[in-house]
Amino acid sequence: MTQYLLEMKGISKSFAGVNVLQNVQFTLMRGEVHALMGENGAGKSTLMKILGGIYSRDSGSIEVKGEAVPNMTTSAAARLGIAIIHQELNLVSDLSVAENIFLGREYRLKGTPFVNWPRMRKEAGRALAQLGIEIDPDRPVGQLSVGQQQMVEIAKALSMQADILVLDEPTAALTNREIDALFQVIASLKKKGVGMIYISHRMEEIFQICDRITVLRDGQYVGTKQARETNMDELVRMMVGREITERFPKVKVDPGPERIRVENLSVKGKLRNISLSVRSGEILGVAGLMGAGRTELARALFGVEPLEHGRIYVDDRQVTIRRPIDAINAGIALVTENRKEEGLVLSLSIRENLALPNLGSLSAYGFVKGGEESRLTEHTIRQLSIKTTDGEKTVGSLSGGNQQKVVIGKWLATRPKILILDEPTRGVDIGAKKELYELMNRLVQEGVAIIMISSELPEVLGMSDRIIVMHEGRVTGEFLREEATQENIMYAASGGGKLNAS
Ligand SMILES: Nc1ncnc2c1ncn2[C@@H]1O[C@H](COP(=O)(O)OP(=O)(O)OP(=O)(O)O)[C@@H](O)[C@H]1O
Ligand SMILES: [Mg+2]
């Protein structure tokens, strides 16, 4: 008989009368990487929060190393060697990297209440070095990129020397290099006998590193498979309960007039002489490695990054964009990559979040018209299939992927002419991804111009009409849909220059 490192049985949980987990089971062995899969809102993060003692279960049992844990709390979880890398970053922006890593477990100078800073800095540096990254442990976390913050979150969990490590969407914000480093760490932890629970919507990763795969659907246990005995199609069927045939349902639209033209746009230290144009009905993909300046480009067009020089034309008229309100008035919307910091207010309801950028169009004499707001909310929930009982739920109570849909819905409601999407499908499940692509199709058919920044090459290749590639703040390649390949994009993204440039 195998003794499991972890065994969860009959786990059920409801929030305010809504069942989110029903009779779910899960086991983990030493040295195993066990994937937990399912659509947005399937209950993956909730199951892990129950394991970590953040939520209490309504029923079911948890055994860790053969020991029943009737009352799992966060401190019991820590004592049992359970560490969780949460999907939504849990760092304190104003504290340094080292302070974040050791928050609540600070080293003290022997026999004193004083914090042992040199030791904490050293240990933090070591945890980061293990991941192959150089970040100054004294830097405030708020100054780091989302990817670097994610690495700090991972370093924090690693420094706990856990026996059971949960990784909830750890790679969504990481560069390929960071992902490689993380996978090496996972391989070495595996050798040490650490059991890992791995949550990701990226199929390729699942098959690359996982031994077994458990699928949840609508809070119910669907099944567990050995990774080498299953395949992507079977998993998709288990997750969504139907076949998904075309992953990228691209519809080609005859492009109309030029919607936006950017000439020689520069941002000090970040962007150099970017020129581009997008026509109505067109999707321009923006590829490049993390740090290539793609997000800065989006922010510059949206009036967040001050321009050093450059001109922006919307519908052939030059516009001056100094603040986001100028961009919104010019018909530009930006769906940011960092939904937690820029996109949403988690403590407000879906309805309130949707209304935030739209106050202009929804208010009459300074009062928000309640009727229109609820119509907009219901429409958005339906249009984007946001999984919620109603629009009054706080956004913080939605699953990660559904939060992303609220961000998109919020900007669609401004009826933009130019929609900039920065990593639109990050953390979004395979079914919802397809819904988002279909939505993009509808928008371009209505004449919107879309600029889509994405690190997922299949998505860039699958949905763009044209692709520009950035490297170190410059455009290093431009390809028509027909001529773009993984290879020529990667070549340009690494600064290699133009291959087959049009
Ligand atoms: N604190 C909470 N209050 C109310 N409902 C919640 C709360 N936390 C989660 N839920 C609900 O539980 C369901 C499962 O959410 P969960 O976050 O576990 O999904 P998930 O599988 O992790 O999805 P994703 O892939 O989007 O991260 C969702 O419908 C969500 O709205
Ligand atoms: Mg989740």
Side-chain angles (χ1 to χ4, degrees):
M1 197 193 96
T2 357
Q3 143 116 67
Y4 288 116
L5 183 54
L6 167 70
E7 185 167 20
M8 300 177 85
K9 276 195 296 207
I11 305 288
S12 296
K13 175 76 186 171
S14 62
F15 289 107
V18 181
N19 284 332
V20 298
L21 291 175
Q22 276 176 62
N23 197 20
V24 169
Q25 63 194 73
F26 189 86
T27 60
L28 183 66
M29 292 182 277
R30 282 183 198 282
E32 178 188 38
V33 182
H34 191 155
L36 184 57
M37 299 192 76
E39 291 186 283
N40 296 133
K44 305 177 296 291
S45 298
T46 304
L47 186 66
M48 294 301 104
K49 285 179 186 163
I50 286 173
L51 174 62
I54 295 156
Y55 295 153
S56 60
R57 57 192 188 264
D58 297 339
S59 59
S61 65
I62 302 180
E63 277 188 22
V64 178
K65 298 167 213 166
E67 178 197 341
V69 190
N71 183 20
M72 185 66 89
T73 57
T74 48
S75 53
R79 180 174 54 77
L80 291 162
I82 300 168
I84 303 187
I85 299 165
H86 287 285
Q87 180 174 21
E88 302 296 337
L89 297 172
N90 261 321
L91 304 171
V92 186
S93 313
D94 297 333
L95 295 184
S96 73
V97 170
E99 285 169 315
N100 267 286
I101 290 179
F102 292 101
L103 194 63
R105 324 174 274 134
E106 290 85 356
Y107 289 114
R108 308 280 161 188
L109 288 167
K110 238 197 170 115
T112 77
F114 301 112
V115 173
N116 185 343
W117 286 111
R119 170 142 189 229
M120 272 178 33
R121 270 192 215 106
K122 209 170 106 212
E123 299 276 336
R126 186 181 318 178
L128 291 165
Q130 201 184 348
L131 289 164
I133 42 167
E134 283 169 37
I135 301 175
D136 177 359
D138 286 329
R139 264 182 85 184
V141 155
Q143 291 178 6
L144 305 179
S145 72
V146 187
Q148 288 173 321
Q149 293 189 20
Q150 181 69 64
M151 288 310 256
V152 171
E153 186 86 47
I154 293 170
K156 178 174 175 176
L158 290 180
S159 72
M160 294 178 187
Q161 314 275 351
D163 295 320
I164 297 173
L165 179 62
V166 177
L167 302 104
D168 193 348
E169 289 270 355
T171 58
L174 300 186
T175 63
N176 288 339
R177 203 171 63 94
E178 288 166 338
I179 292 174
D180 286 344
L182 174 64
F183 284 3
Q184 275 172 28
V185 172
I186 289 177
S188 81
L189 291 175
K190 206 172 139 75
K191 284 207 194 88
K192 289 184 193 147
V194 175
M196 284 163 278
I197 304 171
Y198 193 84
I199 300 178
S200 173
H201 290 289
R202 296 185 176 173
M203 286 279 184
E204 296 79 10
E205 292 181 352
I206 301 290
F207 284 105
Q208 198 181 338
I209 60 166
C210 297
D211 303 298
R212 285 194 298 160
I213 300 160
T214 285
V215 174
L216 301 182
R217 183 165 78 230
D218 285 334
Q220 309 214 16
Y221 174 80
V222 179
T224 302
K225 300 274 172 190
Q226 296 287 339
R228 53 187 143 66
E229 288 166 9
T230 184
N231 56 48
M232 188 159 149
D233 289 337
E234 182 180 42
L235 289 177
V236 170
R237 255 192 324 272
M238 290 169 76
M239 283 192 286
V240 299
R242 63 190 147 87
E243 304 266 353
I244 293 220
T245 41
E246 259 180 307
R247 267 174 87 194
F248 304 105
K250 171 76 179 166
V251 173
K252 265 234 159 210
V253 177
D254 280 335
E258 184 182 77
R259 273 278 187 231
I260 182 167
R261 184 168 80 249
V262 175
E263 290 175 358
N264 289 318
L265 182 144
S266 293
V267 168
K268 212 164 189 244
K270 292 177 176 167
L271 298 174
R272 283 222 311 276
N273 290 331
I274 308 268
S275 296
L276 60 86
S277 83
V278 194
R279 293 162 72 176
S280 140
E282 223 189 357
I283 299 178
L284 177 74
V286 184
L289 302 174
M290 204 80 59
R294 296 170 304 162
T295 293
E296 285 73 17
L297 173 61
R299 289 164 58 86
L301 295 178
F302 197 64
V304 188
E305 299 272 355
L307 302 190
E308 196 178 5
H309 57 78
R311 286 177 301 277
I312 302 172
Y313 298 84
V314 171
D315 290 337
D316 241 350
R317 285 231 302 274
Q318 188 172 355
V319 291
T320 308
I321 296 175
R322 289 208 189 83
R323 290 166 306 153
I325 190 68
D326 302 330
I328 294 172
N329 289 337
I332 301 175
L334 168 64
V335 175
T336 58
E337 61 173 341
N338 187 352
R339 58 179 167 256
K340 196 166 182 181
E341 301 225 311
E342 295 175 42
L344 293 174
V345 184
L346 296 181
S347 57
L348 293 183
S349 68
I350 300 174
R351 177 179 54 76
E352 288 162 316
N353 270 283
L354 288 174
L356 283 179
N358 297 313
L359 290 174
S361 57
L362 292 177
S363 63
Y365 315 108
F367 294 100
V368 175
K369 287 182 265 175
E372 281 196 24
E373 232 186 69
S374 9
R375 256 196 304 283
L376 167 73
T377 308
E378 269 165 40
H379 173 74
T380 309
I381 290 175
R382 235 179 311 114
Q383 183 187 29
L384 300 176
S385 330
I386 296 172
K387 192 169 183 280
T388 179
T389 45
D390 61 84
E392 296 309 315
K393 291 268 148 20
T394 62
V395 164
S397 75
L398 297 181
S399 79
N402 283 296
Q403 292 182 8
Q404 178 71 352
K405 293 185 189 173
V406 177
V407 181
I408 293 174
K410 172 175 121 163
W411 289 107
L412 285 184
T414 66
R415 313 214 104 254
K417 292 189 236 176
I418 299 137
L419 178 64
I420 308 173
L421 301 167
D422 194 355
E423 304 287 358
T425 64
R426 172 182 292 167
V428 170
D429 71 57
I430 195 155
K433 264 188 188 145
K434 191 165 169 186
E435 285 165 19
L436 280 178
Y437 299 142
E438 279 162 354
L439 178 73
M440 286 163 68
N441 283 336
R442 283 203 299 280
L443 292 170
V444 287
Q445 279 164 338
E446 287 166 16
V448 175
I450 295 183
I451 300 177
M452 178 183 72
I453 299 170
S454 170
S455 299
E456 291 198 38
L457 274 186
E459 167 173 289
V460 173
L461 291 165
M463 291 305 295
S464 312
D465 296 289
R466 253 181 325 122
I467 297 164
I468 61 168
V469 187
M470 293 182 64
H471 172 76
E472 292 183 351
R474 289 172 302 126
V475 174
T476 51
E478 175 164 355
F479 306 96
L480 290 175
R481 175 178 181 77
E482 298 71 37
E483 58 188 14
T485 61
Q486 297 243 6
E487 291 72 37
N488 55 24
I489 289 179
M490 284 316 293
Y491 186 72
S494 55
K498 295 193 177 194
L499 265 191
N500 303 336
S502 57

